[in-house]
Amino acid sequence: MKQSLDMRQGQSLVMTPQLQQAIKLLQLSNQELTEFVEAEIERNPLLNKAEEDTSSESESPKADNREQLSLDESSGLGAARDQLDAPGEDVYEPGTGSDAAMPAGSSGPSAKTDWSGASGGGSGEDFDYTANVSSEISLHEHLHTQLNLAGLSAADRLIAARLIDETDDTGYLRADLDEVATALGADIANVEAVLNICQGFDPTGVMARSIPECLGLQLKELGRYDPAMEAMVKNLQLVAKHDLKGLAEICGVDKEDLLDMMTELRQLSPKPGSNFAGDASVAVTPDVFVREMPNGMYAVELNSENLPRVLMDKAYYAEVTALPMRDKEKEFISECAASATWLIKSLDQRARTILKVASEIVRQQDAFFAHGVAHLRPLNLKQVADAIEMHESTVSRVTTNKYMSTPRGLFELKYFFSASIPATGGGEAHSAEAVRHRIKMLIDSEEPDNVLSDDQIVEILTGYGVDIARRTVAKYRESLNIPSSVQRRRINRASA
């Protein structure tokens, strides 16, 4: 053995922090992107949030008539453009915005379309914010109000407050009583006694630990919790399957009484807390708008309201660099300038990449927009990536947590990517989502006395040119939460 020195030439991909940031921005949702930009503005003194009217000096974040530098006015970005996964022709020329509308199938962005009427929200001085905030109380507030009137001791009030806090918005107690007793240093019997008191609060069934217990509490208040009903509540899996024969044997009643009991059971609420205000839901805002044009084509436009816009204050940068500074201070300012320039570039590139991917999706799925889900074509990431000359990973990041508002509703971009199901006779393949929709339509239109089995559905789909196996039909049916043919027959007999 001997030691030696060899010189070799090779190639490797090195991802700079700036490129990593640009890739990270692609997969962020609107909310995550806004939070990221706000953090960057707070960290970087050279960044300002762009106002809607940047020409007004009174609205400028930094007055004193300082000139703002936008992406198109910046220099030295040629290398940065080359490092991103997008061809040169996909870059806007000066004077065009990243929120321009692009008709599906076109090679570049076209004129911007006014979508101001699509927001649906009020603005201006006449907008009353308080009128749009729910005044309903939450379930926890409702339970704490009753706790104040329950007349419990201080120790029991502490236990009850803990149990209420462990109750979710649907009204179920999700904590283990032993853990609550250990955490509070209380006796388990005392915790159970307090829980029994709390389960008497309104709404009936609240703070139950399971669905059978919740329904049992409601039946007890109605005076209908007899042995037969108790047996039914303990065998809800048979109720879900509509196994009338098995239920009749377990409950010890005839079919007529059993049907009456099931009718009473359906009148109960499995989610007693659902009528109270829960946590505020975050509305999904679309990243892309799609509208049909008079010529039958579809225009794709970015939602400019969702795009955070930042500017670099070039005058402030020149003013600061003119001051005498130490080496560390000069290095900090230089890093801030480079970071600000790259962030502006990355945000613009992100917007244009989303627009390009969305436009290609609309082009590929034009039959869906024209005729509905039954005409959804099979599509994968590679097809879109090859069409727009990008990598599959880029398309995957762009379609993550991004939504498209269309004339047919709001869809996640990933919705349009569907597996392929072969056609009989070597014809054009079918989209899995379209086949799933066709299965649902067949079952919805079946007659009560002619329930379709999975094998019969396979035969019908084969007649439509879909080459599909019975187990695939069963898998799609279960994904739609549709019972089997046996269960559907039982449901029809029970409702007859």
Side-chain angles (χ1 to χ4, degrees), residues 119-150:
S119 63
S123 61
E125 297 179 355
D126 296 332
F127 178 69
D128 185 8
Y129 175 78
T130 58
N132 290 271
V133 180
S134 173
S135 60
E136 297 179 4
I137 64 172
S138 66
L139 177 63
H140 290 146
E141 293 171 338
H142 183 63
L143 294 176
H144 278 292
T145 300
Q146 296 176 80
L147 175 59
N148 295 333
L149 304 174

mmCIF file of all heavy atoms in Angstrom, residues 119-150:
data_model
loop_
_atom_site.group_PDB
_atom_site.id
_atom_site.type_symbol
_atom_site.label_atom_id
_atom_site.label_comp_id
_atom_site.label_asym_id
_atom_site.label_seq_id
_atom_site.Cartn_x
_atom_site.Cartn_y
_atom_site.Cartn_z
ATOM 1 N N SER A 119 -63.594 39.585 -6.082
ATOM 2 C CA SER A 119 -63.171 39.434 -4.699
ATOM 3 C C SER A 119 -64.327 39.174 -3.771
ATOM 4 O O SER A 119 -64.223 38.418 -2.820
ATOM 5 C CB SER A 119 -62.420 40.701 -4.253
ATOM 6 O OG SER A 119 -63.284 41.818 -4.306
ATOM 7 N N GLY A 120 -65.442 39.809 -3.994
ATOM 8 C CA GLY A 120 -66.616 39.562 -3.165
ATOM 9 C C GLY A 120 -66.544 40.203 -1.798
ATOM 10 O O GLY A 120 -67.419 40.018 -0.972
ATOM 11 N N GLY A 121 -65.498 40.935 -1.501
ATOM 12 C CA GLY A 121 -65.367 41.524 -0.177
ATOM 13 C C GLY A 121 -65.567 43.016 -0.233
ATOM 14 O O GLY A 121 -65.386 43.661 -1.249
ATOM 15 N N GLY A 122 -65.935 43.593 0.893
ATOM 16 C CA GLY A 122 -66.102 45.032 0.943
ATOM 17 C C GLY A 122 -64.813 45.731 1.270
ATOM 18 O O GLY A 122 -63.887 45.174 1.836
ATOM 19 N N SER A 123 -64.703 46.978 0.936
ATOM 20 C CA SER A 123 -63.517 47.756 1.231
ATOM 21 C C SER A 123 -63.911 49.210 1.329
ATOM 22 O O SER A 123 -65.002 49.611 0.963
ATOM 23 C CB SER A 123 -62.461 47.536 0.139
ATOM 24 O OG SER A 123 -62.969 47.949 -1.103
ATOM 25 N N GLY A 124 -62.991 49.982 1.812
ATOM 26 C CA GLY A 124 -63.254 51.412 1.902
ATOM 27 C C GLY A 124 -63.861 51.788 3.237
ATOM 28 O O GLY A 124 -63.973 51.007 4.172
ATOM 29 N N GLU A 125 -64.281 53.056 3.330
ATOM 30 C CA GLU A 125 -64.785 53.571 4.599
ATOM 31 C C GLU A 125 -66.136 52.980 4.962
ATOM 32 O O GLU A 125 -66.497 52.927 6.127
ATOM 33 C CB GLU A 125 -64.875 55.094 4.515
ATOM 34 C CG GLU A 125 -63.524 55.771 4.302
ATOM 35 C CD GLU A 125 -63.679 57.275 4.201
ATOM 36 O OE1 GLU A 125 -64.839 57.761 4.212
ATOM 37 O OE2 GLU A 125 -62.647 57.946 4.129
ATOM 38 N N ASP A 126 -66.905 52.533 3.981
ATOM 39 C CA ASP A 126 -68.227 51.980 4.272
ATOM 40 C C ASP A 126 -68.173 50.549 4.765
ATOM 41 O O ASP A 126 -69.200 49.988 5.151
ATOM 42 C CB ASP A 126 -69.095 52.045 3.012
ATOM 43 C CG ASP A 126 -69.347 53.478 2.585
ATOM 44 O OD1 ASP A 126 -69.336 54.365 3.467
ATOM 45 O OD2 ASP A 126 -69.535 53.691 1.381
ATOM 46 N N PHE A 127 -66.979 49.935 4.759
ATOM 47 C CA PHE A 127 -66.884 48.533 5.166
ATOM 48 C C PHE A 127 -66.903 48.441 6.688
ATOM 49 O O PHE A 127 -66.086 49.033 7.381
ATOM 50 C CB PHE A 127 -65.597 47.914 4.612
ATOM 51 C CG PHE A 127 -65.409 46.484 5.019
ATOM 52 C CD1 PHE A 127 -66.241 45.507 4.510
ATOM 53 C CD2 PHE A 127 -64.428 46.135 5.921
ATOM 54 C CE1 PHE A 127 -66.065 44.199 4.875
ATOM 55 C CE2 PHE A 127 -64.245 44.829 6.288
ATOM 56 C CZ PHE A 127 -65.062 43.860 5.762
ATOM 57 N N ASP A 128 -67.850 47.681 7.201
ATOM 58 C CA ASP A 128 -67.999 47.504 8.643
ATOM 59 C C ASP A 128 -67.415 46.159 9.025
ATOM 60 O O ASP A 128 -68.012 45.113 8.788
ATOM 61 C CB ASP A 128 -69.476 47.581 9.041
ATOM 62 C CG ASP A 128 -69.660 47.524 10.554
ATOM 63 O OD1 ASP A 128 -68.647 47.571 11.280
ATOM 64 O OD2 ASP A 128 -70.805 47.421 11.001
ATOM 65 N N TYR A 129 -66.224 46.187 9.636
ATOM 66 C CA TYR A 129 -65.570 44.933 9.994
ATOM 67 C C TYR A 129 -66.330 44.172 11.060
ATOM 68 O O TYR A 129 -66.463 42.958 11.003
ATOM 69 C CB TYR A 129 -64.140 45.224 10.476
ATOM 70 C CG TYR A 129 -63.410 44.003 10.979
ATOM 71 C CD1 TYR A 129 -62.856 43.099 10.065
ATOM 72 C CD2 TYR A 129 -63.289 43.737 12.335
ATOM 73 C CE1 TYR A 129 -62.209 41.967 10.507
ATOM 74 C CE2 TYR A 129 -62.620 42.605 12.772
ATOM 75 C CZ TYR A 129 -62.081 41.739 11.862
ATOM 76 O OH TYR A 129 -61.433 40.608 12.286
ATOM 77 N N THR A 130 -66.855 44.874 12.040
ATOM 78 C CA THR A 130 -67.537 44.197 13.149
ATOM 79 C C THR A 130 -68.783 43.472 12.679
ATOM 80 O O THR A 130 -69.204 42.492 13.290
ATOM 81 C CB THR A 130 -67.918 45.219 14.236
ATOM 82 O OG1 THR A 130 -68.763 46.226 13.659
ATOM 83 C CG2 THR A 130 -66.676 45.872 14.808
ATOM 84 N N ALA A 131 -69.381 43.932 11.580
ATOM 85 C CA ALA A 131 -70.582 43.270 11.076
ATOM 86 C C ALA A 131 -70.252 41.920 10.462
ATOM 87 O O ALA A 131 -71.144 41.100 10.254
ATOM 88 C CB ALA A 131 -71.281 44.149 10.044
ATOM 89 N N ASN A 132 -68.956 41.692 10.162
ATOM 90 C CA ASN A 132 -68.565 40.439 9.541
ATOM 91 C C ASN A 132 -67.935 39.473 10.524
ATOM 92 O O ASN A 132 -67.406 38.449 10.132
ATOM 93 C CB ASN A 132 -67.565 40.725 8.404
ATOM 94 C CG ASN A 132 -68.234 41.410 7.237
ATOM 95 O OD1 ASN A 132 -68.737 40.772 6.338
ATOM 96 N ND2 ASN A 132 -68.238 42.732 7.271
ATOM 97 N N VAL A 133 -67.929 39.794 11.802
ATOM 98 C CA VAL A 133 -67.381 38.930 12.833
ATOM 99 C C VAL A 133 -68.516 38.247 13.573
ATOM 100 O O VAL A 133 -69.472 38.887 13.992
ATOM 101 C CB VAL A 133 -66.502 39.744 13.816
ATOM 102 C CG1 VAL A 133 -65.943 38.831 14.888
ATOM 103 C CG2 VAL A 133 -65.379 40.430 13.068
ATOM 104 N N SER A 134 -68.415 36.941 13.739
ATOM 105 C CA SER A 134 -69.472 36.187 14.394
ATOM 106 C C SER A 134 -69.577 36.594 15.857
ATOM 107 O O SER A 134 -68.590 36.715 16.576
ATOM 108 C CB SER A 134 -69.183 34.689 14.290
ATOM 109 O OG SER A 134 -70.119 33.965 15.050
ATOM 110 N N SER A 135 -70.798 36.814 16.318
ATOM 111 C CA SER A 135 -71.036 37.170 17.725
ATOM 112 C C SER A 135 -71.429 35.968 18.543
ATOM 113 O O SER A 135 -71.723 36.097 19.725
ATOM 114 C CB SER A 135 -72.146 38.235 17.797
ATOM 115 O OG SER A 135 -73.349 37.724 17.236
ATOM 116 N N GLU A 136 -71.463 34.768 17.940
ATOM 117 C CA GLU A 136 -71.836 33.579 18.674
ATOM 118 C C GLU A 136 -70.740 33.210 19.659
ATOM 119 O O GLU A 136 -69.563 33.423 19.426
ATOM 120 C CB GLU A 136 -72.071 32.423 17.699
ATOM 121 C CG GLU A 136 -73.215 32.662 16.742
ATOM 122 C CD GLU A 136 -73.384 31.489 15.788
ATOM 123 O OE1 GLU A 136 -72.655 30.493 15.955
ATOM 124 O OE2 GLU A 136 -74.232 31.575 14.905
ATOM 125 N N ILE A 137 -71.160 32.631 20.786
ATOM 126 C CA ILE A 137 -70.192 32.195 21.779
ATOM 127 C C ILE A 137 -69.732 30.792 21.424
ATOM 128 O O ILE A 137 -70.423 30.033 20.756
ATOM 129 C CB ILE A 137 -70.797 32.231 23.195
ATOM 130 C CG1 ILE A 137 -71.958 31.223 23.306
ATOM 131 C CG2 ILE A 137 -71.241 33.634 23.555
ATOM 132 C CD1 ILE A 137 -72.475 31.066 24.735
ATOM 133 N N SER A 138 -68.566 30.435 21.885
ATOM 134 C CA SER A 138 -68.032 29.111 21.608
ATOM 135 C C SER A 138 -68.583 28.114 22.625
ATOM 136 O O SER A 138 -69.187 28.478 23.645
ATOM 137 C CB SER A 138 -66.506 29.143 21.686
ATOM 138 O OG SER A 138 -66.092 29.400 23.021
ATOM 139 N N LEU A 139 -68.365 26.847 22.334
ATOM 140 C CA LEU A 139 -68.813 25.791 23.248
ATOM 141 C C LEU A 139 -68.120 25.907 24.585
ATOM 142 O O LEU A 139 -68.753 25.725 25.637
ATOM 143 C CB LEU A 139 -68.538 24.423 22.614
ATOM 144 C CG LEU A 139 -68.876 23.203 23.485
ATOM 145 C CD1 LEU A 139 -70.369 23.150 23.778
ATOM 146 C CD2 LEU A 139 -68.401 21.926 22.816
ATOM 147 N N HIS A 140 -66.839 26.218 24.596
ATOM 148 C CA HIS A 140 -66.099 26.342 25.854
ATOM 149 C C HIS A 140 -66.649 27.485 26.705
ATOM 150 O O HIS A 140 -66.787 27.344 27.929
ATOM 151 C CB HIS A 140 -64.608 26.558 25.570
ATOM 152 C CG HIS A 140 -63.927 25.344 25.024
ATOM 153 N ND1 HIS A 140 -62.912 25.404 24.107
ATOM 154 C CD2 HIS A 140 -64.133 24.021 25.245
ATOM 155 C CE1 HIS A 140 -62.516 24.191 23.796
ATOM 156 N NE2 HIS A 140 -63.240 23.330 24.480
ATOM 157 N N GLU A 141 -66.958 28.605 26.061
ATOM 158 C CA GLU A 141 -67.542 29.724 26.815
ATOM 159 C C GLU A 141 -68.898 29.338 27.389
ATOM 160 O O GLU A 141 -69.218 29.685 28.533
ATOM 161 C CB GLU A 141 -67.679 30.940 25.893
ATOM 162 C CG GLU A 141 -66.355 31.530 25.450
ATOM 163 C CD GLU A 141 -66.526 32.602 24.376
ATOM 164 O OE1 GLU A 141 -67.576 32.594 23.698
ATOM 165 O OE2 GLU A 141 -65.622 33.432 24.226
ATOM 166 N N HIS A 142 -69.679 28.611 26.626
ATOM 167 C CA HIS A 142 -71.002 28.170 27.085
ATOM 168 C C HIS A 142 -70.874 27.235 28.284
ATOM 169 O O HIS A 142 -71.635 27.347 29.267
ATOM 170 C CB HIS A 142 -71.721 27.471 25.936
ATOM 171 C CG HIS A 142 -73.115 27.039 26.258
ATOM 172 N ND1 HIS A 142 -74.124 27.933 26.584
ATOM 173 C CD2 HIS A 142 -73.684 25.799 26.302
ATOM 174 C CE1 HIS A 142 -75.248 27.264 26.816
ATOM 175 N NE2 HIS A 142 -75.001 25.963 26.647
ATOM 176 N N LEU A 143 -69.907 26.335 28.242
ATOM 177 C CA LEU A 143 -69.721 25.392 29.354
ATOM 178 C C LEU A 143 -69.173 26.093 30.589
ATOM 179 O O LEU A 143 -69.583 25.788 31.722
ATOM 180 C CB LEU A 143 -68.776 24.269 28.919
ATOM 181 C CG LEU A 143 -69.305 23.331 27.821
ATOM 182 C CD1 LEU A 143 -68.230 22.325 27.414
ATOM 183 C CD2 LEU A 143 -70.560 22.602 28.297
ATOM 184 N N HIS A 144 -68.252 27.035 30.400
ATOM 185 C CA HIS A 144 -67.710 27.767 31.561
ATOM 186 C C HIS A 144 -68.783 28.628 32.218
ATOM 187 O O HIS A 144 -68.770 28.803 33.452
ATOM 188 C CB HIS A 144 -66.525 28.633 31.117
ATOM 189 C CG HIS A 144 -65.231 27.885 31.022
ATOM 190 N ND1 HIS A 144 -64.569 27.377 32.122
ATOM 191 C CD2 HIS A 144 -64.476 27.531 29.937
ATOM 192 C CE1 HIS A 144 -63.460 26.768 31.740
ATOM 193 N NE2 HIS A 144 -63.384 26.846 30.406
ATOM 194 N N THR A 145 -69.706 29.167 31.423
ATOM 195 C CA THR A 145 -70.812 29.934 32.008
ATOM 196 C C THR A 145 -71.669 29.046 32.913
ATOM 197 O O THR A 145 -72.069 29.453 34.019
ATOM 198 C CB THR A 145 -71.675 30.539 30.884
ATOM 199 O OG1 THR A 145 -70.871 31.404 30.080
ATOM 200 C CG2 THR A 145 -72.843 31.324 31.467
ATOM 201 N N GLN A 146 -71.950 27.831 32.473
ATOM 202 C CA GLN A 146 -72.723 26.906 33.299
ATOM 203 C C GLN A 146 -71.935 26.447 34.512
ATOM 204 O O GLN A 146 -72.516 26.202 35.573
ATOM 205 C CB GLN A 146 -73.140 25.696 32.454
ATOM 206 C CG GLN A 146 -74.075 26.055 31.301
ATOM 207 C CD GLN A 146 -74.382 24.864 30.431
ATOM 208 O OE1 GLN A 146 -75.222 24.036 30.779
ATOM 209 N NE2 GLN A 146 -73.702 24.763 29.293
ATOM 210 N N LEU A 147 -70.620 26.333 34.359
ATOM 211 C CA LEU A 147 -69.779 25.942 35.492
ATOM 212 C C LEU A 147 -69.845 26.977 36.609
ATOM 213 O O LEU A 147 -69.865 26.628 37.801
ATOM 214 C CB LEU A 147 -68.336 25.755 35.015
ATOM 215 C CG LEU A 147 -67.292 25.458 36.098
ATOM 216 C CD1 LEU A 147 -67.644 24.180 36.851
ATOM 217 C CD2 LEU A 147 -65.900 25.367 35.484
ATOM 218 N N ASN A 148 -69.911 28.255 36.241
ATOM 219 C CA ASN A 148 -69.993 29.308 37.246
ATOM 220 C C ASN A 148 -71.280 29.239 38.047
ATOM 221 O O ASN A 148 -71.352 29.767 39.174
ATOM 222 C CB ASN A 148 -69.876 30.679 36.572
ATOM 223 C CG ASN A 148 -68.516 30.898 35.936
ATOM 224 O OD1 ASN A 148 -67.512 30.327 36.374
ATOM 225 N ND2 ASN A 148 -68.456 31.717 34.890
ATOM 226 N N LEU A 149 -72.301 28.616 37.459
ATOM 227 C CA LEU A 149 -73.600 28.523 38.134
ATOM 228 C C LEU A 149 -73.832 27.169 38.773
ATOM 229 O O LEU A 149 -74.910 26.923 39.337
ATOM 230 C CB LEU A 149 -74.733 28.802 37.123
ATOM 231 C CG LEU A 149 -74.665 30.136 36.381
ATOM 232 C CD1 LEU A 149 -75.767 30.209 35.325
ATOM 233 C CD2 LEU A 149 -74.776 31.297 37.365
ATOM 234 N N ALA A 150 -72.836 26.267 38.700
ATOM 235 C CA ALA A 150 -73.031 24.899 39.179
ATOM 236 C C ALA A 150 -72.882 24.766 40.684
ATOM 237 O O ALA A 150 -73.302 23.751 41.253
ATOM 238 C CB ALA A 150 -72.051 23.966 38.475
#
